[in-house]
Amino acid sequence: IDEARDPVHAHVWDATPLSSAWSNAANAKARDVVNPAVPSDTVGQIVFATPDGAKRAIAAAVPWDLPAADRADVLRKVAVAYEDNAEELFALLHREAGKTMLDAVGEIREAVDFLYYYAAEAEQRNPTPRGIWTCISPWNFPLAIFTGQVSAALAAGNGVLAKPAEQTGLIAHRAVQLMIEAGVPKDVLHLLPGGGDIGAALTSDARINGVAFTGSTPTALKIRATMAENCDPGTPLIAETGGLNAMIVDSTALPEHAVRDILQSAFQSAGQRCSALRCLYVQEDVAEKVIHMLKGAMNELRMGDPWNLTTDVGPVIDETARQGIQDHIDAARTDGRVIHALVAPDTGTFVAPTVIRVDGLSLIPI
C-alpha cells in the first residue's frame, strides 16, 4: 500500500464539474482544497458549478437507455476500477476527508459492495427508470455514500445529477472519472460540485423525478418543502439524516468488550458518523470499573495525520465542525462535567476524544 500511495503523497488534483452541459468559463475560479490534518498540504483545486450550469445539466440529462444486464456489467467494471485505483483513492480519502487507513479501506469496500449489490438488483428486478434523479451526498462517507446513491439510480436506468459535499469534491470527481471510463455515458451522469445553491437548484426543478439526500435533518426538511412546491406530486425523496445513538451497559456485560465497542463507535472516524455512539448509559454498580477501563483505553488512542498507520483518530472535516464541537466541550468543562479528555494536536482541525457527564439526551446537540 505504501509503495502505491507514495507517488500521490504530494499530488495536487484538479476538479471541475463533469457534465456534457459544462463549459469551463474563463471567469470560473478554482478553490484550494486543504488537508484538514495538515493545513500546509494543498490537496488540489476545484471549480464549483453554478446554478445556471446546474439548470443546463438538468436539461441535458437523459435516462440510461441500456438493458438492465448491460448497465449491471458497467457497474461491475466501475467496481473493478475502484479496486485497481484503491491506493489513489486511499490518498484522497486521507488527505481530503481526514480518513484513517482503517476507515479508508472500509470506505472503498463499502463503495465496491454497493456497485455489485445494485448491479445484481438491476438484473433480478429489471426496474423501470423514473427519469432524472438528484443525488446529494455527505462528506463523512464521500466515496461510499456518493457511490451508493449514484449506483442505485444508474442501476435502475435513471439519469443522475450528483452533488457531493463541498468539502469532498475531489473524491467525487475521481469517482465519476472512473465511472465514465468504465462506460457510464456523460449525458447520463453529471457531477456538479458546489454548495447549498447548487443543491437548491437541483431540488427545486419540476424536471427532477426523484431526490436521494444524506445529511442534516434541517436540510432534509428544506428539500422536502422545496420539492413539495416545485416537483410533481409523489416525486420521491429518500432522506438519510442524523441521530442520537445510545449504548446501554448493564452489570451482565463484559467490561473489556463494552469498552472496545465504545471506543470503536464513539471515536472511529473522529465520531463523524450518523451511527456514532453519542450517549452511554452505564449501570451504577459497574460504572466505576467501566469508566476506569474506558479512560485507560482512551489514553492509548493516537491522534495525527491519517496517512500514518499508527493514527487512530484523525481530524474533523473543517474548522466550522471543530469549533462547534469544541464549544460544546468547553461549556461542559466550565460546568465541571468533563470526565476524561485527551489533548489534541496543535495544528489541523482536531478535537480531542472526550467523555462528558450528561443528565440526558437533551444536553447533546443534534
Side-chain angles (χ1 to χ4, degrees), residues 122-144:
E123 288 180 325
Q124 292 173 14
R125 296 173 180 266
N126 191 23
T128 301
R130 286 183 174 270
I132 308 301
W133 274 75
T134 291
C135 295
I136 302 176
S137 53
W139 46 260
N140 62 338
F141 288 94
L143 183 68

Side-chain angles (χ1 to χ4, degrees), residues 44-233:
Q45 286 85 35
I46 186 167
V47 174
F48 280 1
T50 62
D52 285 344
K55 294 298 184 183
R56 290 195 301 271
I58 295 171
V62 297
W64 195 0
D65 188 18
L66 272 185
D70 293 341
R71 298 195 301 267
D73 285 343
V74 173
L75 293 181
R76 292 189 184 99
K77 289 177 182 177
V78 177
V80 172
Y82 276 18
E83 292 179 318
D84 288 346
N85 292 272
E87 288 82 6
E88 181 187 5
L89 294 172
F90 287 156
L92 274 165
L93 289 163
H94 301 324
R95 294 175 59 202
E96 185 179 36
K99 292 265 184 176
T100 64
M101 177 57 77
L102 177 66
D103 286 333
V105 170
E107 181 101 8
I108 292 177
R109 292 284 0 126
E110 185 176 354
V112 168
D113 285 348
F114 273 133
L115 289 159
Y116 282 120
Y117 173 77
Y118 287 119
E121 287 290 294
E123 288 180 325
Q124 292 173 14
R125 296 173 180 266
N126 191 23
T128 301
R130 286 183 174 270
I132 308 301
W133 274 75
T134 291
C135 295
I136 302 176
S137 53
W139 46 260
N140 62 338
F141 288 94
L143 183 68
I145 292 180
F146 177 85
T147 301
Q149 290 180 347
V150 170
S151 60
L154 291 175
N158 297 292
V160 177
L161 304 157
K163 194 206 85 66
E166 59 185 290
Q167 297 93 331
T168 50
L170 297 179
I171 294 168
H173 183 269
R174 188 68 186 111
V176 171
Q177 284 182 323
L178 294 173
M179 290 180 184
I180 291 171
E181 290 169 10
V184 178
K186 293 182 179 179
D187 57 349
V188 168
L189 175 57
H190 302 255
L191 175 71
L192 299 161
D197 58 338
I198 305 304
L202 296 176
T203 55
S204 61
D205 195 294
R207 293 169 290 181
I208 297 300
N209 304 114
V211 175
F213 168 78
T214 301
S216 71
T217 300
T219 301
L221 293 174
K222 288 180 182 178
I223 292 172
R224 184 181 68 174
T226 298
M227 291 177 64
E229 291 177 3
N230 296 283
C231 298
D232 288 342

